[in-house]
Amino acid sequence: MALFRALFLALLAGAHAELPGCKIRVTSKALELVKQEGLRFLEQELENISIPDLRGREGHFYYNISEVKVTELQLTSSELHFRPEQELTLQITNASLGLRLRRQLLYWFFYDGGYINASAEGVFIRTALELSRDPTGRMKVSNVSCQASVSRIHAAFGGTFKKVYDFLSTFITSGMRFLLNQQICPVLYHAGMVLLNSLLDTVPVRSSVDELVGIDYSLLKDPVASSNLDMDFRGAFFPLAEGNWSLPNQAVEPQLQEEERMVYVAFSEFFFDTAMESYFRAGALRLSLVGDKVPHDLDMLLRASYFGSIVLLSPAVIDSPLKLELRVTAPPRCTIKPSGTTISVTASVTIAMVPPNQPEVQLSSMIMDARLSAKMALRGKVLRTQLDLRRFRIYSNQSALESLAPRQAPPTCRPAMLQIGVMPLLNERTWHGVQIPLPEGIDFVREVVTNHVGFLTIGADLHFAKGLREVIEKNRPANARDVQATSAPPASTPASTAAV
């Protein structure tokens, strides 16, 4: 009975689970590029290690090692990979750190001091970032585990007291190795929990697209790591004036199977339907052109088409400006098939004469059914749509253009109808595009669009338009240094260093 109840609850939860309108997969092929940029960032972070002074006494010799700085990171072997269920793991083995330090030695009344170079060799670092969804729907680094150890330290002591330093080197290098071991993991912990999270804060979650419409890229669940990293986003537009409005997602769930490119993005019909319905609800899918706003070729076409009606009007009206009004009567709908993407639009078209200081004289009121072909393109991290007229039908008992189709139209009619019904309403806005949920400084390149039944996928490679350090410094929290002091785990926790 208990098993049956558990199965029933699981099926019930699955039935009510929200389907994603957008999915993103980061494949293992992206990790080499991410690793190169990440290691540069790691080297710069290790340069910020603050190592306490090392003081000691051996017999009558007093020594002090201070101002220890990491100058470079030299790698022999490094691996970056996804680890089930939610981790991104970096492992560095047999690396070395270049060091510069100040030495001071006092023996009775004799003093020696200066700066020397040293190296930490056999460096091992293993750190894992746990990725999860926070309460706002944003992906975050929720935990950092770390192990780090240094096998040995070599310091090139010289000068008058070289033999004395050689005698003391065991005490000095052992102490330095212990101190260095204690400092690596707190730096990595701060880099993950504070700095990398500041980078993830640049990913749009719920933001405005323009003055009318916003986009919701909230994560629906924690990212899933296997050989790839898969993320499910709500992927829904909404009118800014109705922030709580939502459209039920009854579209096909997008699927990502490919792994050949660095990243894949999938969009369902729901993604595009919410965009068009949001603009419809915001009142953006309407157009009114009067007088000089009517394109010249369209003005000539309409006057010629309605010549019989116009000549019957009074002389005061014949030369009046034309007015064209178009209003989409229902939210357009998107259909995605392997053969292409189409958008269905129904709109009312009203044509009238507008004599000065007199009531309008209506010439025609028509209904237009149009099918538009849509071509998607990804530029940088902006998704753009280029619309083209596939076919349309205009019908009215009064219209001189009854049942007009593009093939039957005069040469000037096709661009005129485009100007009337499509471009001012949809193409102008869709070409501005909408940002894909990627961090600042990372763009898509060499993208390929593939249509499926009910959704489309875009495969692309990644390009760092800005360095990781540049973006993080721009978005670094004002109190980042204070956070480092308070958020770093103590040396005894699992996120600290391994035993020396």
Side-chain angles (χ1 to χ4, degrees):
M1 186 67 180
L3 178 61
F4 175 78
R5 181 178 298 177
L7 290 174
F8 176 76
L9 292 175
L11 291 174
L12 188 64
H16 290 82
E18 182 177 356
L19 295 177
C22 171
K23 288 186 175 184
I24 293 183
R25 163 173 288 181
V26 181
T27 71
S28 57
K29 290 185 175 7
L31 293 185
E32 185 60 35
L33 177 66
V34 174
K35 184 179 74 172
Q36 293 173 8
E37 189 65 30
L39 289 175
R40 281 194 289 268
F41 170 72
L42 175 61
E43 179 179 358
Q44 293 165 342
E45 282 302 297
L46 290 176
E47 291 176 0
N48 295 325
I49 285 180
S50 177
I51 300 177
D53 293 353
L54 178 65
R55 297 182 177 90
R57 172 183 176 181
E58 191 66 27
H60 296 291
F61 294 97
Y62 295 85
Y63 59 87
N64 181 33
I65 303 298
S66 60
E67 301 178 29
V68 181
K69 298 292 183 183
V70 176
T71 57
E72 63 177 338
L73 171 64
Q74 294 183 348
L75 298 175
T76 302
S77 174
S78 61
E79 295 180 359
L80 181 66
H81 59 272
F82 295 119
R83 179 183 175 186
E85 291 283 330
Q86 301 162 227
E87 287 190 345
L88 177 63
T89 301
L90 172 66
Q91 182 166 307
I92 298 173
T93 56
N94 201 28
S96 64
L97 295 173
L99 305 172
R100 183 165 179 81
L101 53 90
R102 183 186 181 190
R103 73 180 193 276
Q104 293 173 295
L105 180 66
L106 180 65
Y107 176 69
W108 293 103
F109 300 106
F110 299 98
Y111 171 81
D112 179 64
Y115 290 88
I116 63 169
N117 295 322
S119 63
E121 300 173 353
V123 177
F124 170 83
I125 298 174
R126 186 183 185 280
T127 183
L129 307 179
E130 183 178 332
L131 305 173
S132 64
R133 172 191 180 275
D134 76 0
T136 68
R138 184 183 300 278
M139 184 168 71
K140 286 287 190 180
V141 177
S142 56
N143 190 36
V144 178
S145 61
C146 177
Q147 291 179 311
S149 62
V150 176
S151 297
R152 57 193 176 277
I153 288 183
H154 174 72
F157 293 109
T160 306
F161 290 89
K162 181 178 183 305
K163 291 185 178 182
V164 176
Y165 285 118
D166 291 341
F167 170 73
L168 299 175
S169 62
T170 301
F171 304 101
I172 294 175
T173 56
S174 296
M176 288 177 57
R177 184 165 65 92
F178 175 79
L179 293 175
L180 187 58
N181 281 338
Q182 297 297 309
Q183 297 301 316
I184 293 176
C185 279
V187 169
L188 297 182
Y189 186 87
H190 174 259
M193 295 297 292
V194 179
L195 301 185
L196 289 184
N197 275 332
S198 71
L199 175 68
L200 294 176
D201 285 341
T202 65
V203 178
V205 173
R206 189 175 174 90
S207 58
S208 61
V209 176
D210 52 30
E211 71 280 2
L212 297 175
V213 166
I215 179 72
D216 187 344
Y217 279 127
S218 300
L219 274 173
L220 298 181
K221 59 181 181 180
D222 289 336
V224 177
S226 55
S227 58
N228 309 302
L229 183 68
D230 291 304
M231 295 162 282
D232 291 357
F233 298 90
R234 177 166 291 118
F237 291 77
F238 59 92
L240 293 178
E242 304 176 68
N244 295 325
W245 174 85
S246 63
L247 181 70
N249 186 352
Q250 300 175 343
V252 174
E253 181 177 356
Q255 302 295 323
L256 289 172
Q257 306 294 338
E258 302 89 341
E259 298 182 358
E260 290 75 21
R261 307 297 293 274
M262 291 185 181
V263 64
Y264 289 90
V265 187
F267 302 99
S268 71
E269 293 172 346
F270 170 79
F271 179 86
F272 301 102
D273 285 346
T274 60
M276 293 181 290
E277 181 147 348
S278 294
Y279 280 112
F280 176 80
R281 296 177 70 91
L285 302 186
R286 61 182 62 180
L287 176 68
S288 180
L289 301 176
V290 181
D292 294 339
K293 298 296 183 179
V294 180
H296 179 68
D297 58 347
L298 178 58
D299 187 281
M300 293 179 60
L301 172 64
L302 294 177
R303 289 182 185 276
S305 300
Y306 293 98
F307 178 77
S309 299
I310 294 176
V311 296
L312 299 178
L313 301 174
S314 65
V317 177
I318 291 177
D319 295 327
S320 299
L322 276 174
K323 178 180 180 180
L324 185 147
E325 287 187 342
L326 186 147
R327 181 175 61 87
V328 175
T329 57
R333 284 294 178 256
C334 173
T335 303
I336 302 176
K337 297 180 179 180
S339 57
T341 302
T342 59
I343 296 175
S344 302
V345 183
T346 299
S348 64
V349 182
T350 303
I351 301 169
M353 304 293 290
V354 188
N357 303 319
Q358 296 185 38
E360 296 181 2
V361 179
Q362 181 174 300
L363 299 177
S364 178
S365 179
M366 303 175 289
I367 300 296
M368 180 181 71
D369 290 333
R371 282 181 174 266
L372 315 176
S373 64
K375 294 182 179 180
M376 310 301 170
L378 204 52
R379 298 291 183 267
K381 51 175 164 279
V382 176
L383 177 67
R384 293 178 173 176
T385 304
Q386 178 66 49
L387 299 175
D388 194 11
L389 187 65
R390 187 172 179 180
R391 68 175 182 268
F392 70 95
R393 183 171 66 99
I394 295 180
Y395 52 93
S396 170
N397 292 331
Q398 304 176 20
S399 175
L401 304 179
E402 183 178 359
S403 300
L404 184 64
R407 292 183 179 178
Q408 300 169 325
T412 57
C413 187
R414 181 184 291 270
M417 289 300 118
L418 286 172
Q419 290 293 335
I420 294 172
V422 185
M423 301 310 159
L425 295 177
L426 298 176
N427 214 24
E428 181 180 355
R429 289 192 180 275
T430 58
W431 190 243
H432 290 310
V434 60
Q435 183 177 338
I436 303 303
L438 275 184
E440 181 181 344
I442 303 178
D443 292 336
F444 290 109
V445 294
R446 296 181 290 277
E447 65 281 348
V448 176
V449 181
T450 304
N451 277 38
H452 305 271
V453 178
F455 65 95
L456 61 86
T457 60
I458 303 176
D461 293 330
L462 295 176
H463 168 68
F464 278 91
K466 298 180 181 179
L468 197 58
R469 168 62 57 185
E470 179 184 354
V471 178
I472 287 177
E473 287 297 334
K474 175 183 175 183
N475 298 280
R476 179 190 290 268
N479 61 341
R481 295 304 178 190
D482 297 334
V483 173
Q484 181 176 11
T486 58
S487 66
S492 59
T493 66
S496 67
T497 61
V500 178

